Amino acid sequence: MISSRTLRRPGLAVAAATAALWAALPAHADATADIRALVRSMTDFVAAQKSISFDMETDLEIVTTQGQRLSLASSGAMEMSRPDKIRVERKGGFADVAAVYDGKTLSILGRNLNLYAQIPIAGDLDHLIDELRDKYARPLPAADLLKSDSYDQIMTGATGIAYLGAGVILGQMCDHVAMRNDDVDLQLWIAQGDKPYPCRYTITSHAIPGQPQYSVEIWNWKSGTDAGSASFTFTPPAGAQAVDPAKLADTDELPAHLAPKN
C-alpha cells in the first residue's frame, strides 16, 4: 500500500503511477501487430508524398553536470520535394539558420552571423540525411520521419510497443504510441484521419546521463499540391561571407558554449 506520507514524496508517487501504467499496457501479439500497422500507415503516407511542407517547434533537453535539466526551444519550417530537394529554417535563442539542398550542394546560412557555408553532397534526401548524421554530425530535425525507409528506422529492434490511446497535439486528434530500443525510448503521436502525418515525435536517450529528451511538434502540415512553393536555389544575402563549414558555429540546436567538452 502507498501511504499518504509516500504520496507527499513526488518521485515515489510518480514512479508508482508509471509502474502501474506500464503493467497495464497491451503486450499480446495482436495488439503489437495493430500498433505496427498504425506506424506503417504513417510512414507509408509520408514516404508517398512527393512534396511536403510544415511548421515545427523543437525542444532539446540538456542535463548539466550538476543534474539540472534545461530545455532549449526553437521554431522552424521545412519544405521538401522528393527525391532530392529540401529547405529547413530554424530560429532559436542562439541561432537563426537556413539550410537549402538542391540535390548537389547543401548551403547553410547563419543569418544572425551573416555567414554561409556550402558542402558538396550529391544524391537523394536519404543520402543527405545519412551524410549529415554520420559524416558531419548535423542531423536534420525529425529526419527519421522523412526517409523512404522510415518504418525500418523507427521499428527495427523496437520492444515495449504500446498504444496509449488518443491525444490532442495543437488541436489535432492523434493516436499515441510508444516503443523503445537499446538506445532510446520513442513516442509518436499520429494524426487521425486520411492524412496520418506525425504530430509529435519524442526521443528519450538511454545512453546520456540524465536521459534527456528531444521533441519535435509538427503543425500546418501540407502535402501534394497543397504544399508550399519555396525555392531550393540558394542565393547568399548581400554582404554574407563564405566560410569553411567547420567555422560556421552555432548552427546546431545545441550552442557551442553548452556542448560537452572532450
Side-chain angles (χ1 to χ4, degrees):
M1 176 179 291
I2 301 175
S3 68
S4 59
R5 179 181 178 186
T6 301
L7 290 174
R8 288 195 294 270
R9 300 170 63 184
L12 290 181
V14 171
T18 301
L21 171 63
W22 279 103
L25 292 178
H28 53 85
D30 289 345
T32 298
D34 289 344
I35 298 164
R36 287 181 177 273
L38 178 61
V39 176
R40 172 71 80 176
S41 71
M42 180 202 73
T43 58
D44 284 356
F45 170 75
V46 174
Q49 308 309 307
K50 300 301 183 184
S51 298
I52 295 172
S53 64
F54 57 80
D55 296 315
M56 59 186 171
E57 307 289 332
T58 67
D59 189 276
L60 173 65
E61 188 176 69
I62 60 175
V63 181
T64 70
T65 54
Q66 293 78 34
Q68 184 178 6
R69 307 176 80 90
L70 306 171
S71 293
L72 305 179
S74 62
S75 297
M78 182 178 293
E79 185 165 340
M80 58 182 288
S81 177
R82 299 189 194 275
D84 60 0
K85 293 177 175 59
I86 190 167
R87 171 182 287 271
V88 184
E89 300 189 4
R90 181 181 60 81
K91 186 172 184 179
F94 302 100
D96 185 354
V97 183
V100 182
Y101 181 63
D102 61 6
K104 297 179 181 179
T105 303
L106 174 69
S107 303
I108 305 172
L109 170 68
R111 287 197 179 98
N112 54 320
L113 305 170
N114 210 25
L115 301 176
Y116 71 94
Q118 295 187 294
I119 305 172
I121 304 176
D124 61 12
L125 292 175
D126 284 1
H127 179 68
L128 172 69
I129 290 168
D130 290 341
E131 285 283 282
L132 288 178
R133 182 192 61 226
D134 299 335
K135 185 174 180 179
Y136 296 99
R138 291 175 179 263
L140 287 173
D144 287 347
L145 303 177
L146 303 176
K147 295 189 68 175
S148 61
D149 62 345
S150 61
Y151 180 84
D152 293 334
Q153 296 286 322
I154 294 169
M155 300 302 297
T156 297
T159 62
I161 300 171
Y163 177 71
L164 303 182
V168 177
I169 303 296
L170 300 174
Q172 173 65 51
M173 186 64 73
C174 305
D175 289 308
H176 182 190
V177 302
M179 64 205 73
R180 62 187 347 193
N181 59 35
D182 291 340
D183 299 317
V184 299
D185 290 342
L186 171 65
Q187 296 181 76
L188 273 168
W189 286 258
I190 301 169
Q192 294 182 353
D194 60 357
K195 295 181 179 180
Y197 68 90
C199 297
R200 178 189 283 170
Y201 182 66
T202 299
I203 297 173
T204 305
S205 174
H206 299 161
I208 301 174
Q211 299 192 357
Q213 287 190 340
Y214 178 73
S215 185
V216 180
E217 287 190 346
I218 292 173
W219 57 284
N220 195 27
W221 172 278
K222 296 178 181 179
S223 56
T225 57
D226 294 330
S229 56
S231 170
F232 300 103
T233 300
F234 176 73
T235 302
Q241 180 182 353
V243 296
D244 184 90
K247 295 182 179 180
L248 191 57
D250 282 349
T251 57
D252 198 358
E253 289 182 274
L254 182 63
H257 73 281
L258 292 179
K261 303 298 187 293
N262 296 326

